[in-house]
Amino acid sequence: MSSRSHVSGILNTGGTTNITSSAVGHRPVLTTGPRPAEDGADGPVRADVGVITILGVETQAVRLALGLSEDPVGGLRFYTGDVPAGDRPVRVAAIRALGQGQRSAMAAYDNLRRHHDPHVIVLAGIGGGIHPSVKLDDVVIATRVVYYDLRKKTPQGTHRRGEEREAPAELGHAVNAFFTDHDPGDFAVTDPGGTSRTVRFHHGPIGSGDAVIADGDSGVLRYLASFNDKILAVDMEAGGLSQASHEESASTRRPHGWIVVRGISDDASPSKDDDHHRTASWHAATALRELLPYLSAR
């Protein structure tokens, strides 16, 4: 009388069996989750500096100025590289936001945090100059942002409720040190076509909201001037960056650094056009490159 064994699982009678992503046995349960990091890492490969751009011309300028290479993760396109900066290279990871505005900037911020967790995130690209001291193709570097789109509508009119955020003190000191070392902030900049210009870098607050401003007499500009007459420029994404950084600190229990670098492409007037986008983008990318030794974690 022959006996027959019941096998519940895997029976190997010789050789080698490799099994991955499987469950075996009686009524198996397979629980899936995030794939472990490659090469034995416990999490993302951390960058010193993350960069968010909005327009294609801004992204091209940052890639070229910093020498970054495409480094996709799933459907996301990052651009990474080790950039020479002082006594050691700075690891940079950049991403272009899906679109304009505060919400896309916040999503780009989240993608950078999840995949590269940079020490500081820089929003780099173009903006509109609104202060008399700021000229076309200058650069504004900001560690303070005034978000102007919070407002109350009444029969008597619109009452704006501006909200100001400031980058962590560490970043304020870093930018102060940069301008101390480069007073008065005039830089000789050569673009990829070989044209050289002297570009003035400014340090001061910027205004941010979801409006494209092309009216020198805009109520937004009057409001910003009344809020703080030192506001130098306006954009559409810095409010989202500063808010995302502020809220992220609650879950990580540490401050998250951010800075805004804007090349001035227009004066927020009816004459606003795209003629200076490429030059202003290059100047912003160049300013970012000059800032890198001051921004990396030491």
Side-chain angles (χ1 to χ4, degrees):
M1 181 176 179
S2 62
S3 63
R4 188 168 67 178
S5 300
H6 174 74
V7 176
S8 177
I10 300 171
L11 176 64
N12 185 350
T13 59
T16 301
T17 302
N18 294 320
I19 299 172
T20 61
S21 302
S22 300
V24 297
H26 183 59
R27 295 182 178 177
V29 176
L30 176 63
T31 302
T32 61
R35 293 181 60 186
E38 295 181 358
D39 299 325
D42 293 326
V45 177
R46 191 172 192 192
D48 296 303
V49 176
V51 182
I52 296 173
T53 58
I54 307 301
L55 303 178
V57 67
E58 299 169 346
T59 310
Q60 293 166 4
V62 166
R63 288 189 65 185
L64 185 58
L66 304 187
L68 306 182
S69 300
E70 189 170 327
D71 187 10
V73 176
L76 298 172
R77 292 181 180 271
F78 292 97
Y79 305 95
T80 63
D82 294 313
V83 183
D87 58 356
R88 72 172 182 88
V90 173
R91 183 68 178 172
V92 176
I95 188 172
R96 179 182 176 185
L98 186 61
Q100 292 180 306
Q102 315 292 342
R103 292 174 298 174
S104 276
M106 295 178 80
Y109 173 94
D110 183 62
N111 286 326
L112 271 176
R113 281 282 172 220
R114 285 190 295 113
H115 294 285
H116 291 282
D117 193 22
H119 175 69
V120 56
I121 291 181
V122 181
L123 179 62
I126 63 173
I130 64 171
H131 194 274
S133 66
V134 176
K135 310 302 181 186
L136 285 176
D137 299 330
D138 282 1
V139 174
V140 171
I141 299 171
T143 54
R144 292 164 60 198
V145 174
V146 176
Y147 180 68
Y148 62 76
D149 257 344
L150 292 174
R151 57 195 183 274
K152 180 181 181 180
K153 293 282 191 178
T154 72
Q156 290 73 40
T158 299
H159 300 275
R160 294 189 179 273
R161 296 171 171 174
E163 184 176 75
E164 182 171 359
R165 295 214 179 277
E166 187 168 5
E170 176 188 3
L171 276 302
H173 285 299
V175 174
N176 283 346
F178 173 79
F179 279 96
T180 298
D181 292 344
H182 300 91
D183 184 39
D186 292 331
F187 287 78
V189 177
T190 302
D191 66 26
T195 301
S196 296
R197 302 176 181 86
T198 298
V199 181
R200 172 64 59 93
F201 292 3
H202 307 262
H203 181 203
I206 70 169
S208 188
D210 284 311
V212 176
I213 302 174
D215 178 4
D217 195 37
S218 164
V220 169
L221 298 187
R222 292 196 302 271
Y223 171 76
L224 290 174
S226 68
F227 189 98
N228 184 337
D229 63 356
K230 298 294 187 182
I231 293 175
L232 301 179
V234 289
D235 79 356
M236 296 172 60
E237 291 82 25
L241 170 67
S242 62
Q243 183 69 23
S245 299
H246 177 68
E247 294 193 16
E248 181 73 7
S249 64
S251 61
T252 62
R253 297 183 181 275
R254 60 181 172 89
H256 289 270
W258 57 268
I259 287 178
V260 181
V261 179
R262 290 304 194 190
I264 302 304
S265 62
D266 61 77
D267 61 358
S269 74
S271 62
K272 170 184 172 70
D273 56 32
D274 298 348
D275 290 353
H276 287 260
H277 279 197
R278 190 167 299 278
T279 301
S281 294
W282 179 254
H283 291 176
T286 301
L288 170 58
R289 186 180 63 203
E290 296 291 337
L291 274 169
L292 284 182
Y294 298 83
L295 301 184
S296 61
R298 299 291 177 176

